[in-house]
Amino acid sequence: MNLFKFFGYLIIFLMILGCNNLQKNSAVLEADNFELDGLFQGTQDAYNLKNKFGDDIIIQGNTVTVPSSKYKFLFQEGFKVSLQQTSEEGQIVYYEGNYQIFRNDDKIILIECELSDGEYSNPTMTIEYSKSNNKFTYKGQDGSPDFNLVHLN
């Protein structure tokens, strides 16, 4: 069982390393005067890793499951962002970085967070804000599920 947890965490780490090369615009868009501030929290549910064909990855007859994780994003002045990622076993990883708005149209705002744990991991994460329903959604990458973020303060 510990082997599967190890592979799960290894896969999460490798997925976080993947970065999107997206076109970047100004961090504050004057038309909407949009700047994030405060604490946002959400939980990414556990999910099975998939291969490039969409089938479950199976090792020694067992499906590889990535455990759920809690995410807390703290957005501050100057387009600074901090992330606390907590595994279901209670392991915590901290990230620091910057965010910017790279898309702002009549329906959504896409926010790109460029983060670093200061050592090995430098993920780029995307959050979508829906103007129609006022919801923030973490956009999963490489087969990981999306999840909603709640503004705590």
Side-chain angles (χ1 to χ4, degrees):
M1 185 67 177
N2 287 335
L3 179 64
F4 294 112
K5 285 184 181 178
F6 169 77
F7 278 114
Y9 288 117
L10 178 63
I11 298 298
I12 289 173
F13 175 76
L14 293 174
M15 288 180 1
I16 289 175
L17 287 178
C19 295
N20 289 338
N21 292 326
L22 300 168
Q23 196 174 34
K24 297 166 178 64
N25 293 331
S26 172
V28 174
L29 300 170
E30 297 300 325
D32 291 328
N33 198 22
F34 186 83
E35 184 174 351
L36 287 172
D37 186 30
L39 186 63
F40 293 77
Q41 178 178 302
T43 300
Q44 186 175 51
D45 293 332
Y47 61 97
N48 293 336
L49 286 180
K50 306 285 185 184
N51 64 20
K52 67 181 179 180
F53 301 105
D55 299 324
D56 288 343
I57 293 177
I58 299 173
I59 298 176
Q60 296 181 348
N62 296 304
T63 302
V64 178
T65 301
V66 177
S68 68
S69 293
K70 289 184 181 179
Y71 288 72
K72 287 185 181 178
F73 289 91
L74 177 61
F75 294 93
Q76 300 172 331
E77 277 187 46
F79 306 102
K80 301 292 182 191
V81 61
S82 301
L83 169 63
Q84 175 184 300
Q85 184 182 25
T86 307
S87 71
E88 63 184 21
E89 286 93 19
Q91 293 177 326
I92 299 173
V93 179
Y94 295 99
Y95 297 89
E96 300 293 330
N98 298 302
Y99 75 91
Q100 57 189 341
I101 308 302
F102 68 91
R103 178 176 169 191
N104 187 350
D105 60 31
D106 58 334
K107 295 180 182 179
I108 64 169
I109 297 174
L110 290 178
I111 303 141
E112 181 180 72
C113 302
E114 295 180 355
L115 300 159
S116 174
D117 70 353
E119 294 182 19
Y120 309 108
S121 183
N122 298 295
T124 298
M125 299 180 177
T126 303
I127 297 171
E128 179 182 290
Y129 173 69
S130 170
K131 293 179 180 181
S132 63
N133 62 19
N134 294 320
K135 286 190 178 180
F136 289 88
T137 303
Y138 173 93
K139 303 305 285 179
Q141 298 173 342
D142 301 318
S144 65
D146 297 350
F147 59 92
N148 291 329
L149 294 168
V150 177
H151 190 204
L152 299 178
N153 64 10

PDB file of all heavy atoms in Angstrom, residues 1 8 10 12 14 22 29 44 54 61 76 90 93 110 114 119 122 136 150:
ATOM      1  N   MET A   1       0.830  -1.202   0.000  1.00  0.00           N
ATOM      2  CA  MET A   1       0.000   0.000   0.000  1.00  0.00           C
ATOM      3  C   MET A   1       0.871   1.262   0.000  1.00  0.00           C
ATOM      4  O   MET A   1       0.545   2.222  -0.649  1.00  0.00           O
ATOM      5  CB  MET A   1      -0.926  -0.034   1.220  1.00  0.00           C
ATOM      6  CG  MET A   1      -1.902   1.083   1.248  1.00  0.00           C
ATOM      7  SD  MET A   1      -3.070   0.904  -0.092  1.00  0.00           S
ATOM      8  CE  MET A   1      -4.136   2.241   0.203  1.00  0.00           C
ATOM      9  N   GLY A   8       1.573   7.759  -6.033  1.00  0.00           N
ATOM     10  CA  GLY A   8       0.570   8.825  -6.096  1.00  0.00           C
ATOM     11  C   GLY A   8       1.194  10.185  -5.868  1.00  0.00           C
ATOM     12  O   GLY A   8       0.956  11.134  -6.623  1.00  0.00           O
ATOM     13  N   LEU A  10       4.362  10.940  -6.131  1.00  0.00           N
ATOM     14  CA  LEU A  10       5.317  11.190  -7.199  1.00  0.00           C
ATOM     15  C   LEU A  10       4.607  11.744  -8.427  1.00  0.00           C
ATOM     16  O   LEU A  10       5.064  12.721  -9.029  1.00  0.00           O
ATOM     17  CB  LEU A  10       6.061   9.896  -7.560  1.00  0.00           C
ATOM     18  CG  LEU A  10       7.067  10.003  -8.706  1.00  0.00           C
ATOM     19  CD1 LEU A  10       8.196  10.953  -8.340  1.00  0.00           C
ATOM     20  CD2 LEU A  10       7.614   8.635  -9.049  1.00  0.00           C
ATOM     21  N   ILE A  12       1.709  13.356  -8.479  1.00  0.00           N
ATOM     22  CA  ILE A  12       1.252  14.717  -8.170  1.00  0.00           C
ATOM     23  C   ILE A  12       2.405  15.697  -8.359  1.00  0.00           C
ATOM     24  O   ILE A  12       2.252  16.749  -8.970  1.00  0.00           O
ATOM     25  CB  ILE A  12       0.695  14.819  -6.739  1.00  0.00           C
ATOM     26  CG1 ILE A  12      -0.641  14.094  -6.636  1.00  0.00           C
ATOM     27  CG2 ILE A  12       0.510  16.272  -6.321  1.00  0.00           C
ATOM     28  CD1 ILE A  12      -1.177  14.003  -5.219  1.00  0.00           C
ATOM     29  N   LEU A  14       5.081  15.402 -10.201  1.00  0.00           N
ATOM     30  CA  LEU A  14       5.420  15.554 -11.612  1.00  0.00           C
ATOM     31  C   LEU A  14       4.381  16.377 -12.355  1.00  0.00           C
ATOM     32  O   LEU A  14       4.724  17.167 -13.240  1.00  0.00           O
ATOM     33  CB  LEU A  14       5.574  14.180 -12.267  1.00  0.00           C
ATOM     34  CG  LEU A  14       6.773  13.359 -11.770  1.00  0.00           C
ATOM     35  CD1 LEU A  14       6.743  11.961 -12.376  1.00  0.00           C
ATOM     36  CD2 LEU A  14       8.075  14.058 -12.071  1.00  0.00           C
ATOM     37  N   LEU A  22       1.273  30.135 -21.606  1.00  0.00           N
ATOM     38  CA  LEU A  22       0.112  30.888 -22.051  1.00  0.00           C
ATOM     39  C   LEU A  22       0.484  32.334 -22.284  1.00  0.00           C
ATOM     40  O   LEU A  22       1.375  32.880 -21.643  1.00  0.00           O
ATOM     41  CB  LEU A  22      -0.991  30.799 -20.993  1.00  0.00           C
ATOM     42  CG  LEU A  22      -1.458  29.379 -20.691  1.00  0.00           C
ATOM     43  CD1 LEU A  22      -2.318  29.375 -19.447  1.00  0.00           C
ATOM     44  CD2 LEU A  22      -2.230  28.828 -21.864  1.00  0.00           C
ATOM     45  N   LEU A  29      -6.440  44.766 -15.074  1.00  0.00           N
ATOM     46  CA  LEU A  29      -7.131  45.235 -16.263  1.00  0.00           C
ATOM     47  C   LEU A  29      -7.980  46.419 -15.866  1.00  0.00           C
ATOM     48  O   LEU A  29      -8.915  46.303 -15.084  1.00  0.00           O
ATOM     49  CB  LEU A  29      -7.958  44.110 -16.878  1.00  0.00           C
ATOM     50  CG  LEU A  29      -7.089  42.916 -17.276  1.00  0.00           C
ATOM     51  CD1 LEU A  29      -7.954  41.738 -17.643  1.00  0.00           C
ATOM     52  CD2 LEU A  29      -6.181  43.282 -18.432  1.00  0.00           C
ATOM     53  N   GLN A  44      -9.405  19.275  -3.881  1.00  0.00           N
ATOM     54  CA  GLN A  44      -9.380  18.466  -5.089  1.00  0.00           C
ATOM     55  C   GLN A  44      -9.619  17.023  -4.670  1.00  0.00           C
ATOM     56  O   GLN A  44      -8.880  16.462  -3.862  1.00  0.00           O
ATOM     57  CB  GLN A  44      -8.031  18.593  -5.797  1.00  0.00           C
ATOM     58  CG  GLN A  44      -7.986  17.893  -7.131  1.00  0.00           C
ATOM     59  CD  GLN A  44      -6.679  18.149  -7.853  1.00  0.00           C
ATOM     60  OE1 GLN A  44      -5.610  17.968  -7.280  1.00  0.00           O
ATOM     61  NE2 GLN A  44      -6.763  18.563  -9.104  1.00  0.00           N
ATOM     62  N   GLY A  54      -6.825   7.550 -21.850  1.00  0.00           N
ATOM     63  CA  GLY A  54      -7.936   7.775 -20.928  1.00  0.00           C
ATOM     64  C   GLY A  54      -8.266   6.585 -20.047  1.00  0.00           C
ATOM     65  O   GLY A  54      -9.244   6.623 -19.297  1.00  0.00           O
ATOM     66  N   GLY A  61      -1.520  -4.838 -10.867  1.00  0.00           N
ATOM     67  CA  GLY A  61      -2.926  -5.177 -10.697  1.00  0.00           C
ATOM     68  C   GLY A  61      -3.749  -4.172  -9.921  1.00  0.00           C
ATOM     69  O   GLY A  61      -4.932  -4.398  -9.679  1.00  0.00           O
ATOM     70  N   GLN A  76      -2.461  38.593  -2.242  1.00  0.00           N
ATOM     71  CA  GLN A  76      -2.115  39.813  -1.528  1.00  0.00           C
ATOM     72  C   GLN A  76      -1.793  40.930  -2.513  1.00  0.00           C
ATOM     73  O   GLN A  76      -1.659  40.702  -3.715  1.00  0.00           O
ATOM     74  CB  GLN A  76      -0.918  39.552  -0.616  1.00  0.00           C
ATOM     75  CG  GLN A  76      -1.197  38.485   0.418  1.00  0.00           C
ATOM     76  CD  GLN A  76       0.054  38.095   1.196  1.00  0.00           C
ATOM     77  OE1 GLN A  76       1.163  38.166   0.696  1.00  0.00           O
ATOM     78  NE2 GLN A  76      -0.149  37.689   2.433  1.00  0.00           N
ATOM     79  N   GLY A  90      -2.140  14.831   5.923  1.00  0.00           N
ATOM     80  CA  GLY A  90      -1.699  15.975   6.706  1.00  0.00           C
ATOM     81  C   GLY A  90      -0.352  16.543   6.316  1.00  0.00           C
ATOM     82  O   GLY A  90       0.142  17.459   6.964  1.00  0.00           O
ATOM     83  N   VAL A  93       2.737  21.338   1.950  1.00  0.00           N
ATOM     84  CA  VAL A  93       3.763  21.942   1.100  1.00  0.00           C
ATOM     85  C   VAL A  93       3.350  23.394   0.894  1.00  0.00           C
ATOM     86  O   VAL A  93       2.185  23.684   0.626  1.00  0.00           O
ATOM     87  CB  VAL A  93       3.878  21.220  -0.257  1.00  0.00           C
ATOM     88  CG1 VAL A  93       4.942  21.885  -1.127  1.00  0.00           C
ATOM     89  CG2 VAL A  93       4.196  19.748  -0.059  1.00  0.00           C
ATOM     90  N   LEU A 110      -9.297  34.601 -16.468  1.00  0.00           N
ATOM     91  CA  LEU A 110      -8.348  33.527 -16.183  1.00  0.00           C
ATOM     92  C   LEU A 110      -7.139  34.110 -15.469  1.00  0.00           C
ATOM     93  O   LEU A 110      -6.554  35.095 -15.918  1.00  0.00           O
ATOM     94  CB  LEU A 110      -7.914  32.819 -17.463  1.00  0.00           C
ATOM     95  CG  LEU A 110      -8.981  31.961 -18.139  1.00  0.00           C
ATOM     96  CD1 LEU A 110      -8.435  31.342 -19.422  1.00  0.00           C
ATOM     97  CD2 LEU A 110      -9.488  30.875 -17.204  1.00  0.00           C
ATOM     98  N   GLU A 114       2.057  31.671 -10.830  1.00  0.00           N
ATOM     99  CA  GLU A 114       3.380  31.080 -10.999  1.00  0.00           C
ATOM    100  C   GLU A 114       3.991  30.947  -9.612  1.00  0.00           C
ATOM    101  O   GLU A 114       4.245  31.945  -8.945  1.00  0.00           O
ATOM    102  CB  GLU A 114       4.235  31.940 -11.916  1.00  0.00           C
ATOM    103  CG  GLU A 114       3.690  32.000 -13.327  1.00  0.00           C
ATOM    104  CD  GLU A 114       4.526  32.850 -14.257  1.00  0.00           C
ATOM    105  OE1 GLU A 114       5.504  33.486 -13.791  1.00  0.00           O
ATOM    106  OE2 GLU A 114       4.205  32.872 -15.448  1.00  0.00           O
ATOM    107  N   GLU A 119      12.541  25.061  -3.835  1.00  0.00           N
ATOM    108  CA  GLU A 119      13.521  24.003  -4.076  1.00  0.00           C
ATOM    109  C   GLU A 119      13.314  23.327  -5.427  1.00  0.00           C
ATOM    110  O   GLU A 119      14.006  23.626  -6.376  1.00  0.00           O
ATOM    111  CB  GLU A 119      13.464  22.963  -2.954  1.00  0.00           C
ATOM    112  CG  GLU A 119      13.914  23.510  -1.608  1.00  0.00           C
ATOM    113  CD  GLU A 119      13.882  22.451  -0.530  1.00  0.00           C
ATOM    114  OE1 GLU A 119      13.864  21.247  -0.847  1.00  0.00           O
ATOM    115  OE2 GLU A 119      13.875  22.832   0.650  1.00  0.00           O
ATOM    116  N   ASN A 122       8.027  24.094  -9.269  1.00  0.00           N
ATOM    117  CA  ASN A 122       7.692  25.426  -9.772  1.00  0.00           C
ATOM    118  C   ASN A 122       6.424  25.358 -10.624  1.00  0.00           C
ATOM    119  O   ASN A 122       6.469  25.588 -11.828  1.00  0.00           O
ATOM    120  CB  ASN A 122       8.854  26.002 -10.583  1.00  0.00           C
ATOM    121  CG  ASN A 122      10.089  26.165  -9.753  1.00  0.00           C
ATOM    122  OD1 ASN A 122      10.116  26.942  -8.823  1.00  0.00           O
ATOM    123  ND2 ASN A 122      11.120  25.399 -10.083  1.00  0.00           N
ATOM    124  N   PHE A 136     -15.149  30.899  -8.442  1.00  0.00           N
ATOM    125  CA  PHE A 136     -13.747  30.662  -8.748  1.00  0.00           C
ATOM    126  C   PHE A 136     -13.545  29.151  -8.862  1.00  0.00           C
ATOM    127  O   PHE A 136     -13.974  28.400  -7.990  1.00  0.00           O
ATOM    128  CB  PHE A 136     -12.842  31.216  -7.642  1.00  0.00           C
ATOM    129  CG  PHE A 136     -12.792  32.713  -7.601  1.00  0.00           C
ATOM    130  CD1 PHE A 136     -13.720  33.439  -6.865  1.00  0.00           C
ATOM    131  CD2 PHE A 136     -11.812  33.402  -8.303  1.00  0.00           C
ATOM    132  CE1 PHE A 136     -13.671  34.818  -6.816  1.00  0.00           C
ATOM    133  CE2 PHE A 136     -11.756  34.786  -8.262  1.00  0.00           C
ATOM    134  CZ  PHE A 136     -12.685  35.493  -7.521  1.00  0.00           C
ATOM    135  N   VAL A 150     -13.607  28.643  -2.564  1.00  0.00           N
ATOM    136  CA  VAL A 150     -14.500  29.515  -1.796  1.00  0.00           C
ATOM    137  C   VAL A 150     -13.668  30.640  -1.192  1.00  0.00           C
ATOM    138  O   VAL A 150     -12.607  30.403  -0.626  1.00  0.00           O
ATOM    139  CB  VAL A 150     -15.199  28.709  -0.681  1.00  0.00           C
ATOM    140  CG1 VAL A 150     -16.072  29.604   0.167  1.00  0.00           C
ATOM    141  CG2 VAL A 150     -16.006  27.562  -1.281  1.00  0.00           C
TER     142      VAL A 150
END
